[in-house]
Amino acid sequence: MNKAVVESKQDEEWQPKIIAFLCNWCSYAGADLAGVSRIQYPPTIRVVRVPCSGRINPFFIIKSLIDGWDGVVVSGCHPGDCHYISGNLVARRRFAIVKELLDFIGIEPDRVHFMWASAAEGELFAVMIRKISELVKKLGPNKKFEKKW
Amino acid sequence: MDKVGAVLVVGAGIGGSQTALDLGDAGFKVYLVESTTSIGGVMAQLDKTFPTNDCAMCIVSPKLVETGRHQNIDLSINCKILDVKGEAGNFTVKVLKKSLYVNMDKCTGCGVCGKACPVEAIDVFNEGLAKYSATSVKYPQAVPLIYAINKDYCIGCGICLGVCKAKAVEYDQQDEEVDLNVGAIVLAPGFDEFIPAKGNKYGYGKYKNVVTSIEFERILSASGPYSGKIIRPSDGDVPEKVAFLQCIGSREFKDGQPYCSSVCCMYTAKEAVIAKEHMDQVNPTIFSMDIRAYGKDFDKYINRAQEEYGVRYIRSRISHIEEDKTTKDLILTYEAENGEIIKENFNMVVLSVGLNPPDDGKYLGEMFGIELNEFNFAKTDIFNPVQTSKRGIFACGAFTSPKDIPETVTQASAAAGCVNQLLYDQRDTLITEKVLPPEIYVAGQPPRIGCFICHCGINIGGYVDVPEVTRYAGTLPNVVLADRNLYTCSADTQTIIKEKVLEYNLNRVIVASCTPRTHEPLFQETIREAGLNRYLFQMANIRDQCSWVHMHEPEKATEKAKDLVRMAVNKARDIQPLERIKLPVTQKALVIGGGITGMVAAFNFASQEYETYLVEKGKEFGGHARHIYTTLEEGNVQEYLSNLIDNVTTHKFIHAYTEAEIENIDGYIGNFKSSILHGPSKERVEFDHGVVVVATGANEYEPKEYLYGQDSRVIKQSDFEKLINTTDEINNKKSVVMIQCVGSRNEEHPYCSKMCCAEAIKNAIKAKELNPSLEVVILFRDIRTYGFKELYYRKARAAGIVFIRYDEKILPEVTSEGNNLKIEVTSPKMGKITISSDLLVLSAGIVAQGEANEELAKILKVPLNEDHFFLEAHVKLRPVDFATEGVFVAGLAHCPKTIEDSISQANAAVSRACTILSKDEVEAEGKVASVDMARCSGCGMCIENCAYNAIELIEDRRFGIVASINKALCKGCGACSGNCRCSAIDIAGFTSEQIFEMITGRV
């Protein structure tokens, strides 16, 4: 269990820590563009760069939740834009199932988000992160997998 | 005389550097000579670049570093050309290498001498705003980083000699003369900015708070004299009202040059936006005559400046400035568009100075024996803007006419493309292979990680507590070194990284700075040169995704930066060296589109004996140019076109297909496999090729407005051109009205079509010549006759052609009234005016081929922009490349442009392609999938998911039926791995274990 991740300062306004898996070609570039355009969003996310959303194994999402991340974002290219032709479509099919599984094991649906953001959508990326941060913040810290003994 | 496989490039700004890199990569020996003491030219002085607001230093720095260390580029600084002999294919150039009084090989650029120097000398780079010592470099990220002693200021005290540990100071160093034997020459000396004369009407030099735009650019820069704070020189106050005056030294006969400097409208908008961004209390006002935002996405930028940043535009030319003696404010008197005279105070004034030819332009012209135009810019061929009057000598960038960075880079590559065409058979004759040290064996050894945290000037350091992040990085397990740098990408830091790798025995290197998308290759190359496998590298993005997006929360940004560094360290512990696969290259090209652009590209490829497939969807070649008779500069387009068609259709290396469509394009860089259907019977042809050039052009807008299609007296500009060039109907007309921006710069097409102003003026002048009694009225929003085209705008006005401005909010109205058309226009100056005319000409814009482009974009896996034009890899520095390797774009498919620009892009695309075609093999990415056969159950799910057909099931002797991956086809996307239920497939560089490590973030 990782203290640095789960640690939340009770006295200050609590900010969630969200892990974001971004595909290299669209969403990661979109996140860069948000930076280049200086569009501000809350400092909640920590980005893991992956080649394609198709690379993201459901294990990554589950592992993130187990390790105490308050939220998970997965973002890839828009359908049809995939640098690898169809990786994002593979991902979409996969995540539809993952979503159901998470629901089944009692993870609040608002903790895990799938989105599309292109390299030109810095603004959209920032807006989405703002929105997701709010949603996760409302849920409070992720203690589902915290060891109680 | 024998041809020589070497090229001389004069001037090492962004243009010269690009030419040198292209040619160096294509197998030529390049001598790059620069007159100052470091490379990068004006671009390295800029803070940000329009229209993306990219940090100029960030994007140019990797390119300069690459130029400085390219195996085939021989860089000399502080040089002067003394003599030129010979002809195309074999020139001998005598170059004087002036002494720096510092030994280049010994100087480490440590700067101790500069600090010790007691004499303060003016520093050129910061435009005289900062003081530097007599021993100095131009700027902290200079390439090459070598100090030079300025003999004019040096008092000979000898202190620097004493303090230099490297023993690099040599007072008695002599100038050196060398003879260079080269096959071709490219001139890229750039420009010099216009400096207002003493006693000028703007009070420049007299009033302290009047600065030029380049000085203001340095004020904006994080590495500038005030570290990026907007401060006015008189008292150090933040100026709240800043006025930018346009056309200083441009579009003037008396004090300056009559031509338009092309770039000032855009760079001013950028400076205004950045000023506002740096300090919110700054309110910029721009005084301009026309807003010339004619490039790709430029209009959108101007709109953003006005709407989002509140930049105020006033259409007026300021002729006089007064200073308030007590406050040092400046009083501007101007005439508003409605005629009212207004007096307004400003705290600071920025003069948007124009571009002059380079100071040594005339000298270079004489030296190289090339013709110059009346302003001392290089005179170039109408249909090949990089060809000077002498064969074998090319010119590019601002030396041919004032221009911005992407056009300079395009021309730089175009010049390289023309050199390729001339010297193709001399490739690889004079170059040496790059010798890299053997890779240090690191497998199985405990990780020793070095972390380099970047301040990026104030880009990171201004918001993130970099010393704290560095301290924290040092506490992480396996980190043996944590260091921080002002700019980690600069040449000096590359040397530091290499030294530290050896000193600390590092076997993993982490850089926490900007984005791996732009800078990873640079750092990978650096550690490879230090003997580490290039994949033993990780980046933490603490700028684009941290400091820049959390500017108001420095503490949290610092915390986030620490997390990102920790995640990178966690991953780095687990990364392994990887091998790159070499792929063979099919030395053939596919060019899609048989307009001028496509044909120029195909002809250039074929001249280099590369077999070329030219595919045109129409029945004949020529594209849009078939409807153009002359250029504004009076070039005969039809003659040029018919020669080109002859050349292309009869060339033995060109397979030309008409009525052809692309059925499929498969494969990857160096190894494409395509099939097309051509001719009336749709015959199928399949072929292999190594590169693709997209030159599919664009369409003319079909107007829906102004009674077009309903009244036969309303015609398009192209129809009017045909009318005046092929009939004498114009003699029967009394008046012609033209409306500009039809189908451009509106909601549907929010961009400028660039060519319409020039087209309208060209046809108006011609019509007036044919029928002097003809009345011609042009209704415009902005006249965008940039560069030397401005002279034709003057000519048109002198010929009596009437120009009336209308505002986009009140469009002209057209009604048909008996024999006449009635055109009602509202001019901001004169109010409502009604004009009768017997012909209305609509300057219809350029629109992208929406569906056709979408289809091709899908086949090639390349992106389109919002307006459906193809989107290049980088709008500034990679104008003809796609992110997908081996695929290039040129001409109208990229964005609206003139014929000359299309030809430049075509040659530029060829040059970029030659960096691939000139080789027998290219190296593929090392980050590909691999199968753990012991785990694989042979279910075949991965085969379903692989979009590249890179996986097949094989029968293994020990493991039975298992998946197997063709590493040359694998792109490393990971779709197979994400779906593998046995966790048998992993992606090198992004392994599950590495990602788990990042997730768990164990400290």
Side-chain angles (χ1 to χ4, degrees):
Chain A
M1 178 61 101
N2 167 30
K3 286 235 175 65
V5 175
V6 235
E7 191 180 27
S8 55
K9 288 172 193 159
Q10 298 298 331
D11 36 334
E12 266 184 54
E13 199 192 2
W14 179 75
Q15 286 278 0
K17 280 201 176 175
I18 300 169
I19 192 162
F21 297 96
L22 307 185
C23 86
N24 183 45
W25 304 94
C26 295
S27 299
Y28 195 90
D32 279 351
L33 181 64
V36 172
S37 325
R38 314 292 193 280
I39 303 168
Q40 307 293 302
Y41 56 82
T44 48
I45 59 159
R46 307 289 182 265
V47 171
V48 175
R49 185 167 68 118
V50 290
C52 174
S53 50
R55 168 71 190 99
I56 299 162
N57 197 303
F59 285 144
F60 300 170
I61 298 165
I62 293 164
K63 175 86 171 150
S64 301
L65 293 167
I66 292 175
D67 275 8
W69 290 88
D70 301 310
V72 181
V73 177
V74 171
S75 185
C77 308
H78 284 278
D81 281 359
C82 182
H83 182 81
Y84 300 109
I85 303 171
S86 56
N88 56 352
L89 303 179
V90 173
R92 185 166 64 175
R93 289 202 291 276
R94 194 180 299 152
F95 297 142
I97 300 166
V98 173
K99 197 87 183 146
E100 276 183 30
L101 170 72
L102 293 175
D103 201 26
F104 178 73
I105 59 174
I107 302 287
E108 302 93 325
D110 277 349
R111 285 211 192 274
V112 182
H113 295 264
F114 303 107
M115 60 184 259
W116 317 113
S118 80
E121 291 173 337
E123 178 85 51
L124 175 92
F125 183 82
V127 169
M128 288 299 287
I129 296 305
R130 257 178 249 149
K131 207 173 101 189
I132 291 169
S133 299
E134 275 310 307
L135 288 170
V136 177
K137 202 167 163 182
K138 268 189 208 148
L139 294 175
N142 162 28
K143 293 189 170 164
K144 188 89 194 164
F145 299 94
E146 200 171 304
K147 281 184 184 166
K148 301 214 168 60
W149 60 90
Chain B
M1 268 197 284
D2 287 340
K3 281 207 265 180
V4 183
V7 184
L8 170 71
V9 179
V10 180
I14 184 61
S17 302
Q18 181 64 48
T19 308
L21 285 172
D22 272 12
L23 291 170
D25 284 343
F28 295 101
K29 175 84 196 169
V30 181
Y31 298 101
L32 180 59
V33 302
E34 164 63 35
S35 62
T36 68
T37 53
S38 70
I39 69 172
V42 176
M43 186 170 175
Q45 281 185 304
L46 303 180
D47 177 45
K48 304 272 158 51
T49 59
F50 60 83
T52 50
N53 283 4
D54 267 325
C55 158
M57 186 50 81
C58 301
I59 57 175
V60 76
S61 195
K63 227 168 214 187
L64 299 183
V65 172
E66 205 186 332
T67 307
R69 63 199 213 171
H70 198 288
Q71 188 68 12
N72 299 343
I73 300 175
D74 184 339
L75 172 65
S76 307
I77 54 173
N78 216 16
C79 289
K80 190 179 178 179
I81 306 293
L82 293 182
D83 187 38
V84 184
K85 282 199 188 81
E87 58 189 55
N90 196 329
F91 292 99
T92 304
V93 184
K94 194 184 280 299
V95 177
L96 172 71
K97 293 186 177 178
K98 286 182 275 183
S99 172
L100 300 163
Y101 306 104
V102 169
N103 187 320
M104 275 182 76
D105 300 327
K106 288 185 186 164
C107 178
T108 62
C110 71
V112 173
C113 54
K115 289 207 182 76
C117 178
V119 200
E120 280 192 333
I122 304 292
D123 136 55
V124 186
F125 186 73
N126 275 329
E127 296 292 324
L129 293 164
K131 303 273 183 181
Y132 266 73
S133 52
T135 340
S136 70
V137 285
K138 259 169 87 185
Y139 55 105
Q141 309 85 36
V143 176
L145 190 72
I146 293 182
Y147 276 69
I149 297 172
N150 187 335
K151 270 273 164 143
D152 296 341
Y153 295 106
C154 178
I155 50 170
C157 64
I159 290 177
C160 51
L161 180 70
V163 296
C164 181
K165 293 236 158 48
K167 302 207 183 318
V169 176
E170 296 173 357
Y171 291 124
D172 54 354
Q173 196 184 72
Q174 297 298 312
D175 294 352
E176 189 192 348
E177 275 180 29
V178 288
D179 279 324
L180 302 176
N181 188 215
V182 295
I185 295 164
V186 178
L187 303 176
F191 65 92
D192 273 290
E193 81 236 32
F194 171 81
I195 297 168
K198 258 206 170 137
N200 62 84
K201 54 196 177 190
Y202 309 108
Y204 176 71
K206 194 162 95 190
Y207 308 147
K208 274 193 164 170
N209 293 330
V210 178
V211 300
T212 67
S213 43
I214 293 235
E215 287 168 352
F216 193 68
E217 190 83 37
R218 291 312 300 157
I219 291 178
L220 290 175
S221 174
S223 51
Y226 310 137
S227 307
K229 290 203 176 63
I230 319 287
I231 283 173
R232 66 176 195 166
S234 75
D235 49 13
D237 269 0
V238 177
E240 285 185 12
K241 287 182 76 185
V242 180
F244 293 83
L245 313 192
Q246 295 306 102
C247 298
I248 306 298
S250 308
R251 302 178 71 185
E252 283 220 41
F253 263 111
K254 265 209 306 235
D255 310 315
Q257 306 275 19
Y259 55 80
C260 162
S261 291
S262 302
V263 296
C264 326
C265 282
M266 288 311 292
Y267 79 57
T268 305
K270 173 201 72 181
E271 289 186 356
V273 164
I274 303 291
K276 183 86 190 162
E277 220 166 55
H278 280 210
M279 296 192 133
D280 195 45
Q281 60 266 54
V282 175
N283 290 312
T285 303
I286 299 174
F287 291 91
S288 71
M289 297 194 280
D290 295 286
I291 303 173
R292 296 191 163 167
Y294 55 82
K296 194 174 187 179
D297 287 344
F298 287 7
D299 262 322
K300 288 177 200 157
Y301 191 81
I302 300 281
N303 292 342
R304 265 186 64 203
Q306 297 185 49
E307 284 155 24
E308 283 175 38
Y309 291 89
V311 176
R312 185 164 68 126
Y313 273 90
I314 294 174
R315 277 179 196 269
S316 188
R317 186 167 199 164
I318 306 284
S319 52
H320 186 67
I321 295 181
E322 272 175 82
E323 189 188 46
D324 183 323
K325 292 277 176 286
T326 49
T327 61
K328 303 287 174 193
D329 282 354
L330 300 145
I331 308 157
L332 269 57
T333 312
Y334 61 91
E335 188 189 351
E337 244 191 320
N338 59 13
E340 202 183 329
I341 304 289
I342 298 172
K343 256 191 184 188
E344 198 176 336
N345 269 31
F346 289 90
N347 306 117
M348 187 170 175
V349 166
V350 180
L351 304 177
S352 298
V353 292
L355 273 50
N356 273 356
D359 290 342
D360 56 353
K362 198 156 178 235
Y363 175 81
L364 290 175
E366 279 165 17
M367 208 32 77
F368 288 96
I370 59 162
E371 273 181 58
L372 301 179
N373 74 5
E374 55 189 304
F375 312 111
N376 287 335
F377 285 91
K379 194 170 182 176
T380 53
D381 189 290
I382 289 176
F383 289 110
N384 186 357
V386 299
Q387 174 65 59
T388 68
S389 58
K390 196 161 170 179
R391 228 184 127 243
I393 302 184
F394 305 92
C396 67
F399 187 38
T400 67
S401 70
K403 61 175 57 65
D404 63 7
I405 295 166
E407 289 189 337
T408 297
V409 174
T410 303
Q411 280 204 345
S413 282
C418 293
V419 171
N420 269 299
Q421 197 171 10
L422 180 71
L423 300 177
Y424 71 96
D425 48 357
Q426 298 300 315
R427 280 196 191 109
D428 300 328
T429 51
L430 293 171
I431 58 162
T432 43
E433 279 282 299
K434 182 167 186 172
V435 186
L436 288 168
E439 280 187 13
I440 302 166
Y441 189 75
V442 301
Q445 292 174 10
R448 294 180 62 81
I449 303 172
C451 285
F452 298 88
I453 323 279
C454 186
H455 281 265
C456 196
I458 63 160
N459 284 310
I460 296 169
Y463 313 100
V464 167
D465 184 349
V466 174
E468 168 58 17
V469 176
T470 313
R471 184 205 60 78
Y472 174 74
T475 65
L476 297 170
N478 301 95
V479 173
V480 294
L481 168 75
D483 204 353
R484 57 199 166 93
N485 325 90
L486 183 61
Y487 289 99
T488 309
C489 56
S490 63
D492 57 325
T493 314
Q494 305 314 301
T495 315
I496 292 171
I497 294 176
K498 279 189 259 182
E499 285 165 6
K500 299 285 182 191
V501 166
L502 301 177
E503 188 183 334
Y504 287 85
N505 264 327
L506 302 179
N507 55 22
R508 310 282 189 282
V509 173
I510 290 173
V511 171
S513 61
C514 45
T515 168
R517 291 173 50 251
T518 53
H519 283 65
E520 196 172 41
L522 167 76
F523 298 125
Q524 287 186 317
E525 197 62 28
T526 301
I527 66 162
R528 180 62 195 85
E529 283 172 14
L532 286 180
N533 179 284
R534 61 182 92 236
Y535 293 96
L536 294 169
F537 176 77
Q538 275 301 302
M539 253 178 116
N541 187 333
I542 62 167
R543 190 190 70 182
D544 300 40
Q545 296 178 5
C546 186
S547 69
W548 276 353
V549 288
H550 312 306
M551 293 162 101
H552 312 304
E553 298 166 281
E555 274 176 28
K556 289 187 175 135
T558 304
E559 194 193 334
K560 177 170 172 178
K562 284 169 156 180
D563 282 351
L564 291 171
V565 169
R566 187 188 62 243
M567 288 162 80
V569 168
N570 283 344
K571 182 173 177 186
R573 256 181 236 123
D574 202 46
I575 53 180
Q576 299 302 326
L578 301 175
E579 282 283 323
R580 282 189 178 192
I581 313 158
K582 294 206 158 123
L583 302 170
V585 174
T586 307
Q587 291 167 333
K588 296 177 187 175
L590 165 65
V591 179
I592 308 172
I596 281 193
T597 311
M599 288 193 290
V600 168
F603 183 66
N604 192 337
F605 279 128
S607 313
Q608 301 180 43
E609 299 185 15
Y610 292 129
E611 211 172 316
T612 304
Y613 298 87
L614 177 62
V615 177
E616 164 60 35
K617 76 171 174 206
K619 281 195 174 142
E620 47 188 318
F621 291 105
H624 203 61
R626 276 180 295 146
H627 310 296
I628 303 176
Y629 293 83
T630 56
T631 64
L632 181 61
E633 293 79 7
E634 288 157 37
N636 186 335
V637 177
Q638 292 304 313
E639 187 185 284
Y640 174 80
L641 189 62
S642 68
N643 283 339
L644 187 59
I645 294 175
D646 275 354
N647 283 338
V648 164
T649 45
T650 56
H651 203 291
K652 66 172 176 177
F653 282 99
I654 297 181
H655 306 274
Y657 301 102
T658 50
E659 290 180 76
E661 57 182 277
I662 303 285
E663 190 183 45
N664 198 21
I665 300 174
D666 250 348
Y668 46 90
I669 175 175
N671 299 276
F672 291 101
K673 215 176 219 359
S674 296
S675 60
I676 61 161
L677 305 173
H678 77 98
S681 57
K682 294 286 162 217
E683 201 180 320
R684 187 197 175 104
V685 185
E686 284 179 26
F687 49 86
D688 294 346
H689 51 103
V691 295
V692 184
V693 175
V694 176
T696 49
N699 295 332
E700 189 179 15
Y701 173 68
E702 275 300 305
K704 297 189 271 283
E705 48 272 84
Y706 304 124
L707 301 182
Y708 180 79
Q710 298 164 36
D711 192 309
S712 60
R713 292 165 300 180
V714 181
I715 59 173
K716 286 187 292 184
Q717 192 66 253
S718 57
D719 301 324
F720 185 62
E721 178 153 354
K722 189 171 180 186
L723 183 139
I724 53 175
N725 279 289
T726 58
T727 70
D728 49 11
E729 252 180 76
I730 196 71
N731 294 329
N732 313 325
K733 305 284 180 212
K734 283 202 203 78
S735 68
V736 174
V737 172
M738 297 182 181
I739 301 181
Q740 298 301 104
C741 296
V742 178
S744 300
R745 301 179 67 193
N746 56 15
E747 244 169 63
E748 194 187 355
H749 304 293
Y751 53 87
C752 169
S753 293
K754 194 172 178 180
M755 56 171 73
C756 330
C757 283
E759 293 288 291
I761 286 171
K762 170 187 82 180
N763 290 335
I765 292 175
K766 173 116 188 187
K768 195 87 182 159
E769 275 168 11
L770 293 170
N771 179 359
S773 67
L774 184 75
E775 266 184 41
V776 186
V777 180
I778 299 182
L779 309 181
F780 70 98
R781 284 172 58 186
D782 292 282
I783 288 292
R784 293 183 165 174
T785 43
Y786 56 93
F788 303 133
K789 297 191 196 302
E790 174 72 9
L791 306 176
Y792 294 90
Y793 179 30
R794 263 176 195 275
K795 187 177 166 187
R797 282 186 307 183
I801 292 160
V802 179
F803 289 83
I804 299 174
R805 196 175 93 78
Y806 69 90
D807 197 272
E808 75 263 35
K809 289 186 198 97
I810 315 168
L811 296 176
E813 276 178 36
V814 181
T815 43
S816 166
E817 212 172 66
N819 290 335
N820 271 336
L821 287 164
K822 203 179 88 183
I823 297 128
E824 205 174 80
V825 59
T826 307
S827 147
K829 207 170 210 127
M830 298 173 282
K832 203 173 253 188
I833 303 165
T834 309
I835 313 164
S836 296
S837 169
D838 38 25
L839 200 58
L840 175 64
V841 179
L842 305 181
S843 286
I846 300 290
V847 291
Q849 304 176 348
E851 277 176 27
N853 283 3
E854 264 173 32
E855 206 172 302
L856 187 59
K858 274 222 165 91
I859 293 179
L860 286 168
K861 305 283 158 234
V862 296
L864 299 176
N865 75 0
E866 286 167 358
D867 306 319
H868 286 92
F869 291 103
F870 284 94
L871 182 61
E872 61 274 34
H874 191 279
V875 292
K876 278 286 170 192
L877 297 184
R878 295 180 69 194
V880 298
D881 296 48
F882 279 117
T884 308
E885 283 178 288
V887 189
F888 306 91
V889 64
L892 292 179
H894 164 263
C895 77
K897 55 176 63 67
T898 61
I899 291 182
E900 310 92 272
D901 289 347
S902 293
I903 293 168
S904 283
Q905 279 205 330
N907 283 321
V910 170
S911 169
R912 301 292 305 136
C914 284
T915 62
I916 299 164
L917 292 182
S918 62
K919 300 187 179 89
D920 295 326
E921 49 186 23
V922 286
E923 279 190 341
E925 217 358 271
K927 293 178 177 171
V928 292
S930 61
V931 178
D932 179 350
M933 287 197 276
R935 287 188 146 195
C936 180
S937 65
C939 71
M941 271 306 292
C942 48
I943 300 174
E944 299 284 313
N945 282 343
C946 181
Y948 299 95
N949 300 323
I951 314 179
E952 55 182 349
L953 287 180
I954 54 160
E955 184 154 9
D956 185 79
R957 196 167 46 84
R958 288 170 298 164
F959 299 104
I961 304 280
V962 288
S964 160
I965 290 170
N966 178 345
K967 297 203 171 173
L969 289 177
C970 179
K971 292 274 169 200
C973 72
C976 50
S977 167
N979 230 29
C980 181
R981 21 271 17 213
C982 322
S983 297
I985 302 193
D986 225 337
I987 308 297
F990 292 101
T991 66
S992 298
E993 198 48 45
Q994 289 163 2
I995 292 172
F996 285 148
E997 286 296 317
M998 292 180 86
I999 295 170
T1000 56
R1002 268 193 295 272
V1003 179

